[in-house]
Amino acid sequence: MTEPVFVISTGRSGSTALSNCINSHPNLLSLSEFFLFIHFHTDFQEDESHWPGLSLERWDGQQFWDFISKKSPTHMHRYFDKGIMPKELLYKVTPTSRFNMETGIPGISMTPLPHLTDHPDELYEELESVVTQYPKDRLDRQYRRLFDYLLKRFGRDVCVERSGMSVYFVDRLINMFPNAKFIFLYRDLRENVMAFNRFQGFKMGMAIKEANKKTGVNPADPDTDPEQLGEYQWLHPDYFDVEKLNQFEIPYETFGAKLSQAMVSASEELDKLPSHQVLNLRYETLVDAPKDQLRRVIDFIQPESATKATNEQWIEQAAATIRSKPNTWKDLPDEKRQRLEEACEPALKLLEYV
């Protein structure tokens, strides 16, 4: 079976842009947010070490499909008309779509399948008929079967999976796919933290988690009595205030320290691999010299049937989509900036930002 390539990052570090570039290459299969979104309906959001679909357990085809297609109703659509626009969710809910917020959207349909095709429901049904017939086997082999099926289905050479938060499970990926290639995409962690504090979807999850912990009730449930939420009443669907969400702050120092630890740990895991299996890709260099860096990426991946002309054309077109964004962490008040820098220092030193 073909060895996959994995893009490892914290998220909010240019990984979506890179995933979109990869998706535009005619010889590469881009699986965007695959591992993250098939775990969307598990409790990984409570514990970043909980990734039940990333192990060497033996599952039959039905078990495997049940996991990657798991869905549950969600109340989040009640916020969409009030200023929350989840760009990461690519599945389009229409009157004729197979899934909606009341039925729940399967993890594999949220982003991975719409990233590949304009007809995700049809591909979903096709995969259901195929995957449920897989024999009982280790999970790494089940993923390889799925990846190889998709490669043949779309006529591609190499599967490139990219998930935000993959720094938290890179050790599991290495254990499952020891001969795979890994692109380690990283960014100045100070700006990484700033980007997460601008990311509405992530802040929404953090705010709901905090409110639930402090009040004991789910603020996103419309049946929750708003009076029980106290200062978090603004999170209730009937009282939601997007400006309050924009003002909600993920603590810079604690979140920075958490991301720093994850980055250092991921780097240490990748350092154990032979050098030909790892490509270190610095976000700031990617946006400053996109053609040079994308050439490094495609040379590293090496799709078998791609010609030099194909790769060069892709580099020209993909480089034009990479956009530079100004740093904002320097604009923080002195005391807050100092706490942020101290929290991020281990990763900043390791990745040579200081």
Side-chain angles (χ1 to χ4, degrees):
M1 296 182 180
T2 306
E3 289 295 343
V5 177
F6 298 105
V7 178
I8 304 302
S9 77
T10 61
R12 319 316 294 175
S13 56
S15 58
T16 299
L18 181 60
S19 190
N20 290 335
C21 287
I22 289 168
N23 196 38
S24 68
H25 194 292
N27 300 84
L28 302 181
L29 181 86
S30 175
L31 281 182
S32 182
E33 305 283 23
F34 177 77
F35 285 119
L36 180 65
F37 275 71
I38 64 173
H39 285 85
F40 187 82
H41 297 291
T42 71
D43 58 357
F44 79 92
Q45 291 168 314
E46 299 297 322
D47 179 5
E48 285 87 354
S49 67
H50 185 66
W51 303 90
L54 293 175
S55 73
L56 295 176
E57 290 183 17
R58 294 175 62 87
W59 291 2
D60 63 29
Q62 188 64 57
Q63 287 175 290
F64 183 51
W65 177 253
D66 287 346
F67 181 77
I68 66 176
S69 65
K70 187 176 181 180
K71 61 184 183 297
S72 58
T74 175
H75 305 297
M76 294 308 294
H77 64 291
R78 298 175 181 272
Y79 299 95
F80 292 170
D81 295 332
K82 299 183 178 183
I84 298 296
M85 300 301 293
K87 294 186 294 184
E88 290 70 24
L89 178 63
L90 299 183
Y91 187 81
K92 304 299 182 185
V93 175
T94 70
T96 59
S97 60
R98 175 167 178 168
F99 305 107
N100 53 50
M101 298 301 172
E102 283 72 26
T103 63
I105 302 172
I108 198 172
S109 292
M110 287 184 174
T111 292
L113 298 189
H115 188 67
L116 293 174
T117 175
D118 292 332
H119 305 285
D121 286 345
E122 294 177 14
L123 182 56
Y124 177 92
E125 293 171 4
E126 179 183 333
L127 290 178
E128 182 176 21
S129 67
V130 171
V131 174
T132 52
Q133 302 306 309
Y134 287 172
K136 188 171 186 177
D137 207 344
R138 282 189 342 205
L139 268 177
D140 59 318
R141 297 192 186 112
Q142 302 292 37
Y143 286 118
R144 288 177 185 276
R145 287 187 174 93
L146 175 59
F147 296 166
D148 272 19
Y149 180 86
L150 289 171
L151 285 173
K152 293 172 184 174
R153 167 72 163 71
F154 289 95
R156 308 298 172 91
D157 294 339
V158 183
C159 174
V160 184
E161 195 278 340
R162 186 278 310 186
S163 288
M165 295 179 66
S166 51
V167 290
Y168 289 108
F169 54 80
V170 64
D171 57 334
R172 292 171 177 256
L173 292 178
I174 293 172
N175 187 46
M176 295 175 72
F177 306 95
N179 297 314
K181 291 182 177 180
F182 295 84
I183 299 174
F184 186 31
L185 176 61
Y186 56 89
R187 182 183 192 179
D188 185 325
L189 205 58
R190 293 164 292 195
E191 193 59 31
N192 222 166
V193 174
M194 298 292 289
F196 271 107
N197 252 310
R198 294 189 293 268
F199 181 22
Q200 283 188 331
F202 186 78
K203 290 177 67 170
M204 189 74 180
M206 294 292 285
I208 289 174
K209 180 178 177 180
E210 180 180 300
N212 200 341
K213 183 177 181 179
K214 291 188 176 181
T215 66
V217 294
N218 181 6
D221 187 342
D223 294 330
T224 293
D225 180 359
E227 296 297 325
Q228 293 181 277
L229 293 170
E231 63 179 301
Y232 295 101
Q233 189 176 105
W234 62 272
L235 276 171
H236 191 280
D238 294 338
Y239 295 85
F240 180 67
D241 186 340
V242 70
E243 286 305 315
K244 287 282 185 67
L245 176 64
N246 292 337
Q247 294 166 13
F248 179 81
E249 189 174 278
I250 304 168
Y252 287 91
E253 58 270 32
T254 54
F255 188 60
K258 183 177 181 179
L259 279 187
S260 181
Q261 181 181 15
M263 289 289 283
V264 170
S265 177
S267 180
E268 290 173 347
E269 292 294 332
L270 292 169
D271 281 345
K272 298 175 185 177
L273 293 173
S275 59
H276 69 271
Q277 286 182 241
V278 181
L279 176 70
N280 292 314
L281 186 61
R282 191 182 181 108
Y283 168 80
E284 290 81 4
T285 308
L286 175 63
V287 298
D288 287 342
K291 292 182 183 179
D292 290 343
Q293 297 307 302
L294 289 174
R295 189 169 290 109
R296 289 180 67 224
V297 168
I298 201 63
D299 287 346
F300 176 72
I301 296 174
Q302 294 181 331
E304 292 180 3
S305 62
T307 64
K308 183 177 180 181
T310 297
N311 288 343
E312 288 300 318
Q313 182 179 15
W314 171 75
I315 289 167
E316 287 289 332
Q317 294 175 346
T321 68
I322 302 292
R323 298 285 184 270
S324 178
K325 297 180 180 179
N327 282 334
T328 58
W329 64 270
K330 295 180 181 179
D331 298 329
L332 287 172
D334 290 346
E335 183 179 348
K336 185 176 288 187
R337 186 178 70 246
Q338 183 177 351
R339 293 202 305 269
L340 174 62
E341 292 193 83
E342 289 174 354
C344 297
E345 187 175 15
L348 294 175
K349 283 186 175 180
L350 178 68
L351 301 173
E352 299 182 350
Y353 281 94
V354 295

